[in-house]
Amino acid sequence: MAYEAALCDSGVAEMLKSLLPKGGRPRQLEPNTVLLGVMLALDAGRPAQLKAAWRALSQLSVLHDQLALGFLATGDHRWHRATYRQYEDAFTKIVKAIDPSPVPSFKGVGPNERASWLKAARSGVDEQANRAVLHRVSQALVESSVPAEHKACSRSLAIDWTDHETWSRPRAKDDPEPANDPDASWGHAKRNAPGAKDHLFFGYYAQVATMVKDDRGPPVPELVRRIAFAPPRDDPAAVMASVLMRAAQEGLLLGDVLCDCGYSNREPQSFARPLRAAGARLVMDLHPNDRGPRGTFEGAVICNGQLYCPRTPPGLLSLGPLFRGAQPEQATDHDQKCEELARYRFSPVTAADGEGYQRFSCPATTGKCRCALKPASMGLSNDRPSVLGAPPGLGERCCRQQTTTVPPQVNEKTRQAHAYPSAAHRASYGRRTAAERTYASLADPSTGGIRRGWCRLFGLTKNTLMYALAVMVRNVRIVESFEAQRTSDARRSAIGPKSRARRRRHGTVGPEPHDPPPAKVAVSPD
């Protein structure tokens, strides 16, 4: 069974056994059996509920599966099947081993004492240490569902976040008591679909880092390599950046990281800077507030994460991305303007050093355009653009030097792998839709998709654990589909193209165009 093999490869069972309390009566249900029950329920299209997981284990074959998993045990010469109470107790112990801070049910606690009871119950609890254990468990589960032959086939990741509503209802604004799910908070859900409206929700932000093919690389299965699950009061961009930095420390090589303007609009110290330090190349959609000219550096115009000549035409600097639904002729015109804008862009001469400093050269020096301050460039052919108007003054330092040293603080927020909004950037950024397809597959109603009520458990730990198991089930399905498609393509290529059979005409058969006309027969008047 693929699910059982993935759980064994993750090493989560041994990790949880070391955290569970020792002594007492031996447990019938091991952590692998408990987690496998949830995965079987999700695979059957059922919600992530403990009752559904227990029923999924009860429907397995008795001799081969239930005995091997310990769900059915023999003791005192009689068979004993684990009850639902045993399964619920085993799951509760696993959650407490991951996160010792209690998630209250508020049973027996009056409505006026809930806030003080919750504060006293969680006093002295190290939340950072608890989240570190939860991170190790969830990422180990997700990574174990990626086969070894697919781990190194691509280094590009598409990241995105979506809303995940909790089963708990929020309290009123004037109610000082906490909600039944004290870890959840209010968030903003943005909908880009036509006719859909933005709204507020109460729950968590769920994020995924989906593996996509490299630029001009072969197709790869779109598997989730990392997840992030946190309440909306935590900055989702900073949470994902910390997850990817830990992944880089664990040996995951980062290449292109594709994200939308929700990430690129964050402050550099919370997202762009740590990811670049981890070795990632950003491919982003810029926020409208970050597009266009944004000041100068030593005379060079700062625009869309690049440096341009001071005499670049303003119409080219204000060029935005290609709008959705553009016609082919409009796309061709847009790309031609982007190529013309590239003539005025400064070119890197050296790679960034250890401190992030990099040297750039003037476009006239590299032969992209013609400028009177660079006499050698005036001998170029007239198909290259010339600097319009009076040449830049001597006070502009970028025009007096052959190269310009640019510190890492310049364009730190908007600098990326491809010039924005060129055709190369548009083609590379188009891979980000893999993250949207990931959420679509997780929310597919035909497979018991994720929605409100899908998981009726409270607390960050329980919801994260259920989400990680759902991602595991989704990854196993993607791998099976990818392998089946690759096998089918290999068989078709080995057989070769099929000969097209001549289609037979049906209905009234008329004369062929090359047939001679019928001979006239003389009819006698008799």
Side-chain angles (χ1 to χ4, degrees):
M1 185 183 297
Y3 299 146
E4 188 176 2
L7 287 174
C8 294
D9 294 341
S10 65
V12 171
E14 290 74 13
M15 187 188 311
L16 294 177
K17 287 180 181 178
S18 63
L19 298 175
L20 289 173
K22 304 298 188 297
R25 185 178 178 180
R27 304 179 186 87
Q28 179 178 347
L29 297 177
E30 297 293 333
N32 267 2
T33 305
V34 177
L35 300 179
L36 181 61
V38 178
M39 297 181 68
L40 292 176
L42 296 176
D43 181 68
R46 300 171 181 172
Q49 299 174 5
L50 299 184
K51 194 69 174 181
W54 179 80
R55 289 175 179 173
L57 291 174
S58 303
Q59 294 174 359
L60 295 176
S61 61
V62 175
L63 296 179
H64 296 86
D65 295 330
Q66 292 190 19
L67 279 174
L69 295 174
F71 189 75
L72 184 66
T74 57
D76 299 332
H77 306 286
R78 43 187 274 185
W79 300 92
H80 173 70
R81 177 179 294 172
T83 62
Y84 171 71
R85 186 177 295 274
Q86 285 180 287
Y87 185 87
E88 184 183 20
D89 181 70
F91 182 83
T92 303
K93 285 184 170 58
I94 289 175
V95 173
K96 287 185 177 181
I98 299 174
D99 185 4
S101 60
V103 177
S105 60
F106 297 123
K107 291 182 179 180
V109 181
N112 298 328
E113 294 83 12
R114 291 184 177 183
S116 58
W117 184 90
L118 177 62
K119 183 177 180 180
R122 293 198 168 185
S123 61
V125 177
D126 190 356
E127 293 187 2
Q128 295 296 331
N130 294 342
R131 288 200 178 189
V133 177
L134 179 60
H135 172 82
R136 292 201 303 268
V137 171
S138 60
Q139 306 308 335
L141 289 174
V142 173
E143 187 66 18
S144 65
S145 61
V146 181
E149 60 270 18
H150 296 301
K151 289 183 181 293
C153 60
S154 175
R155 297 171 55 183
S156 301
L157 298 174
I159 62 177
D160 196 11
W161 77 66
T162 188
D163 55 289
H164 184 91
E165 289 193 72
T166 182
W167 182 242
S168 171
R169 286 298 188 183
R171 299 287 182 182
K173 292 183 178 180
D174 55 350
D175 191 352
E177 301 301 327
N180 291 331
D181 192 346
D183 294 333
S185 63
W186 284 102
H188 178 258
K190 184 175 178 60
R191 296 291 182 263
N192 295 324
K197 297 182 179 180
D198 301 350
H199 64 277
L200 295 177
F201 73 97
F202 187 74
Y204 303 90
Y205 274 143
Q207 303 185 71
V208 295
T210 306
M211 180 175 64
V212 296
K213 67 175 184 177
D214 293 327
D215 272 336
R216 302 179 182 179
V220 298
E222 296 177 348
L223 304 176
V224 177
R225 302 299 301 271
R226 290 294 185 272
I227 65 170
F229 206 87
R233 58 174 170 262
D234 298 338
D235 184 13
V239 172
M240 177 54 74
S242 63
V243 168
L244 294 182
M245 287 181 63
R246 291 181 183 179
Q249 296 173 0
E250 295 168 359
L252 180 63
L253 299 178
L254 298 181
D256 293 344
V257 175
L258 304 99
C259 57
D260 58 9
C261 59
Y263 292 90
S264 63
N265 192 37
R266 292 313 198 262
E267 293 299 326
Q269 60 271 16
S270 62
F271 181 74
R273 185 185 303 171
L275 284 185
R276 290 196 185 99
R281 294 196 322 161
L282 299 179
V283 180
M284 309 177 294
D285 182 24
L286 298 183
H287 193 272
N289 295 335
D290 297 327
R291 299 171 187 171
R294 289 294 180 271
T296 61
F297 174 74
E298 295 186 354
V301 179
I302 301 174
C303 179
N304 295 334
Q306 304 289 334
L307 294 179
Y308 291 92
C309 174
R311 290 298 182 266
T312 305
L316 296 178
L317 292 176
S318 60
L319 191 64
L322 187 65
F323 61 91
R324 182 181 299 179
Q327 299 298 321
E329 56 272 10
Q330 295 172 331
T332 302
D333 180 68
H334 180 272
D335 295 343
Q336 290 178 353
K337 293 180 180 179
C338 291
E339 293 177 359
E340 184 179 358
L341 177 62
R343 297 279 191 176
Y344 298 92
R345 187 173 65 244
F346 278 59
S347 302
V349 178
T350 61
D353 58 11
E355 298 180 356
Y357 288 85
Q358 191 175 6
R359 298 189 68 84
F360 286 80
S361 180
C362 170
T365 304
T366 55
K368 292 183 179 180
C369 63
R370 303 166 74 244
C371 179
L373 293 181
K374 307 292 182 182
S377 66
M378 300 304 295
L380 300 174
S381 60
N382 291 328
D383 59 347
R384 291 171 174 81
S386 301
V387 172
L388 299 178
L394 298 178
E396 295 173 339
R397 189 174 178 181
C398 66
C399 300
R400 303 197 310 264
Q401 300 180 159
Q402 293 294 327
T403 60
T404 302
T405 302
V406 181
Q409 294 78 15
V410 177
N411 286 326
E412 186 178 21
K413 181 179 179 180
T414 56
R415 187 171 67 251
Q416 50 185 320
H418 303 282
Y420 186 88
S422 62
H425 176 272
R426 185 171 67 251
S428 181
Y429 181 74
R431 299 174 292 164
R432 197 201 64 87
T433 54
E436 304 289 349
R437 288 189 290 272
T438 299
Y439 291 130
S441 60
L442 290 173
D444 187 2
S446 63
T447 57
I450 296 177
R451 60 193 181 277
R452 186 180 180 275
W454 170 82
C455 177
R456 299 185 180 184
L457 302 175
F458 298 152
L460 176 65
T461 302
K462 295 180 181 179
N463 281 274
T464 304
L465 189 60
M466 290 298 186
Y467 200 84
L469 294 175
V471 170
M472 286 185 67
V473 174
R474 184 256 177 198
N475 279 354
V476 171
R477 290 177 177 174
I478 293 297
V479 170
E480 293 176 352
S481 176
F482 183 82
E483 295 295 341
Q485 184 64 36
R486 187 164 61 177
T487 303
S488 177
D489 294 343
R491 183 175 64 252
R492 291 179 180 178
S493 61
I495 296 176
K498 297 176 63 176
S499 59
R500 298 183 61 182
R502 186 176 180 181
R503 298 180 61 183
R504 186 174 181 178
R505 295 184 179 182
H506 298 278
T508 305
V509 179
E512 295 293 336
H514 57 273
D515 290 344
K520 294 182 179 181
V521 179
V523 180
S524 62
D526 298 338

